[in-house]
Amino acid sequence: MGVVAGVDSSTQSCTVELRDAADGRLLGAGRAPHPPTSPPVSEQHPNDWWHAFAGALAVALAAAGLRASDVDAVSVAAQCHGLVLLDRDDVVLRPVKLWNDTTSSPQADAMVADLGLAAWADAVGSVPTAAFTITKLAWVAAHEPDLLDRAAHVLLPHDWLTYRLTGRAVTDRSEASGTGYYAAHTGRYLVDHLDRWVRPGVPWADVLPEVLGPSHTAGWAVTPAAAELGLRPDVVVGAGAGDQHAGALGIGLGPGQVLYSLGTSGVVMTTSAQPVHDASGWVDGVADATGGWLPLVCTLNSAKVTDTVARLLGVDHDELTRLALAAPRRADRAVLAAYLDGERSPSRPHARGLLGGLRSDTTREELALAAYEGVVLGLVRGHDAIRAAGAPADGTVVVTGGGARSRAYRQVLADALGTPVETRDAPEATARGAAAQAAAVLAGADVRDVRDAWTPRVVDVVEPGTPLDPQVRARYAALADLPQPDETARAAGVEE
């Protein structure tokens, strides 16, 4: 029996799944937390990721009754976009600015103003926001320029973990396509983008990692750090992937099917055989983890919205779910534009949450429902944008992530779409997808074949109940698009 390890190094924690390489059977799993962060400054040190990985691997091995020397292959999926800078001695030069760090929004705005929405979409498939790595590099150039002089490697989070295992600076096309300086549809880095918007004169071709295909081998676990984990030096390491890309792989997302992922971020995505270039800026036309494309819309505010409202109401999540499902569905109920920490899609980094439609008889139940609908309706707008960009997105709807455990999220989504919503037996879809990639690399197989063989079974289907009143959606859209004073002041150059 071959054993593969799939790693999900997310914003909040690291999860490791150990699976049978032949049939995908789960053998054991473990999790360890990462330090909490909160925008606008959201940073973590990569060493914390490594310690969490080591801890999660140890727990998974104990649960499976295995030793580290029993592992035959590893693949790492991780949170996207974060900027990891290493010097020539492999020392991390500064804490990593994560995807949800919004301090580089001025750099993002300047890039978009300079090149334009359509030209950015044509060049890299997406319009950069503060999440994108290129904007974080531009922030470093503006505020800590000496670090660029010292940088020997510019990596992404999963690249760094793979580097610690193999000693090779590599990435994969799914992650590279979200940087703002890699064109996945042509398979090349756009060094001119880095010269133009970060700084000329940096040897970009030397500091950027090699881009691998989804079934390629990144290397072997030959480093002292890998040996400290107990891994054999002949353990093969896959190319890795972005967390959402690996999640689609773990779910077994097929053509035209739509995945709603409800975690720290909210994501709606589909698979596509063709690249997508959306000049509106809503849709990220990124590559997927199988050789195709994964047009997606990502929001900053997802499950933490219901975390916040549960805290404000003084209830746990079970009670928040009960309240929301018991709420009357009147058309003039309260609606929430859930921009608690700014927003990525649409790009409004300085926006804040707005609650509209309060009445003197508004109930706790309606406030709970507004929280779930505020998250869901933002993603449904993203779903509409994916369709408008030309990607088929009318197939089976699947929901995953921590928020998917809530019946309220699943019911609200089914009601908003007017279609059944299914949950598959993949509670840790990203780690499962990474394990599938590791199995493919170990066997020398195409990752798409492993994905199809490992597609998890359907465990729950929620049918639509009360249809979403069009007035609710219209009132939500009006509130979500409302200009806010802080944004207006910043646009005018007024200091806070």
Side-chain angles (χ1 to χ4, degrees):
M1 176 188 71
V3 177
V4 295
V7 182
D8 172 16
S9 182
S10 72
T11 313
Q12 295 179 322
S13 62
C14 181
T15 300
V16 175
E17 284 196 344
L18 300 174
R19 291 187 174 271
D20 185 300
D23 59 16
R25 177 170 49 92
L26 181 65
L27 305 174
R31 177 179 294 175
H34 288 157
T37 72
S38 180
V41 178
S42 181
E43 298 181 348
Q44 291 170 341
H45 198 286
N47 288 342
D48 292 322
W49 305 339
W50 184 260
H51 294 318
F53 169 39
L57 177 62
V59 173
L61 289 167
L66 298 171
R67 298 172 299 177
S69 58
D70 295 319
V71 175
D72 298 297
V74 179
S75 281
V76 180
Q79 55 180 312
C80 299
H81 304 304
L83 172 62
V84 185
L85 295 174
L86 304 182
D87 69 10
R88 291 172 179 80
D89 297 318
D90 296 338
V91 174
V92 177
L93 290 174
R94 72 174 323 280
V96 174
K97 284 194 168 296
L98 305 184
W99 64 275
N100 59 348
D101 184 296
T102 58
T103 55
S104 63
S105 58
Q107 286 75 26
D109 292 344
M111 291 176 190
V112 174
D114 189 13
L115 190 61
L117 295 172
W120 271 107
D122 286 343
V124 297
S126 307
V127 176
T129 66
F132 278 48
T133 317
I134 191 171
T135 73
K136 301 179 191 306
L137 278 167
W139 185 94
V140 170
H143 297 275
E144 300 168 356
D146 63 301
L147 297 187
L148 291 181
D149 297 325
R150 298 163 56 193
H153 295 292
V154 174
L155 303 176
L156 302 166
H158 98 264
D159 307 346
W160 183 83
L161 288 163
T162 301
Y163 185 69
R164 287 275 285 172
L165 288 169
T166 67
R168 291 191 66 210
V170 297
T171 190
D172 85 301
R173 61 190 290 276
S174 76
E175 270 274 64
S177 64
T179 59
Y181 48 83
Y182 181 77
H185 60 290
T186 62
R188 67 185 183 92
Y189 280 118
L190 301 180
V191 174
D192 57 318
H193 279 205
L194 295 167
D195 286 337
R196 180 171 176 178
W197 288 294
V198 180
R199 197 176 78 188
V202 176
W204 295 113
D206 297 327
V207 302
L208 296 175
E210 179 185 356
V211 182
L212 303 179
S215 300
H216 289 172
T217 299
W220 288 264
V222 295
T223 63
E228 289 176 4
L229 296 177
L231 297 175
R232 305 189 318 267
D234 65 340
V235 168
V236 65
V237 181
D243 54 357
Q244 301 299 339
H245 314 77
L249 190 64
I251 283 292
L253 195 67
Q257 295 181 346
V258 183
L259 179 62
Y260 280 76
S261 177
L262 305 173
T264 305
S265 62
V267 185
V268 56
M269 68 191 86
T270 191
T271 61
S272 174
Q274 302 297 326
V276 171
H277 302 267
D278 176 31
S280 77
W282 270 79
V283 181
D284 291 341
V286 294
D288 73 357
T290 70
W293 307 91
L294 193 74
L296 62 84
V297 172
C298 180
T299 62
L300 279 180
N301 301 276
S302 184
K304 62 183 169 184
V305 174
T306 41
D307 290 345
T308 299
V309 174
R311 174 176 56 81
L312 294 174
L313 291 177
V315 299
D316 62 17
H317 284 285
D318 288 342
E319 178 63 7
L320 192 72
T321 291
R322 189 198 68 77
L323 289 170
L325 293 177
R329 293 325 201 246
R330 60 188 185 186
D332 63 346
R333 62 183 178 266
V335 292
L336 174 67
Y339 302 158
L340 305 192
D341 291 320
E343 192 45 84
R344 169 175 169 171
S345 302
S347 181
R348 300 182 63 178
H350 307 299
R352 290 295 178 261
L354 295 175
L355 184 64
L358 286 177
R359 297 171 24 153
S360 60
D361 61 350
T362 296
T363 65
R364 287 161 58 84
E365 287 82 0
E366 288 174 314
L367 289 176
L369 178 60
Y372 289 102
E373 288 187 331
V375 174
V376 166
L377 291 178
L379 289 171
V380 168
R381 292 181 87 188
H383 190 164
D384 292 341
I386 290 172
R387 288 194 192 95
D394 294 306
T396 300
V397 175
V398 186
V399 64
T400 189
R405 300 187 185 102
S406 166
R407 172 71 186 219
Y409 267 123
R410 303 197 305 273
Q411 189 65 63
V412 167
L413 180 58
D415 293 348
L417 295 175
T419 191
V421 170
E422 70 177 44
T423 306
R424 296 180 182 175
D425 187 17
E428 299 296 343
T430 296
R432 183 188 181 103
Q437 186 190 73
V441 172
L442 181 63
D446 189 310
V447 70
R448 292 172 294 186
D449 294 334
V450 179
R451 174 200 63 191
D452 295 343
W454 286 21
T455 297
R457 63 187 178 88
V458 176
V459 295
D460 180 74
V461 178
V462 173
E463 298 289 340
T466 304
L468 181 70
D469 192 302
Q471 292 184 51
V472 175
R473 186 165 181 177
R475 290 172 51 245
Y476 165 82
L479 187 66
D481 293 338
L482 191 68
Q484 296 187 26
D486 186 49
E487 294 180 296
T488 303
R490 286 176 181 269
V494 178
E495 295 292 332
E496 288 185 284

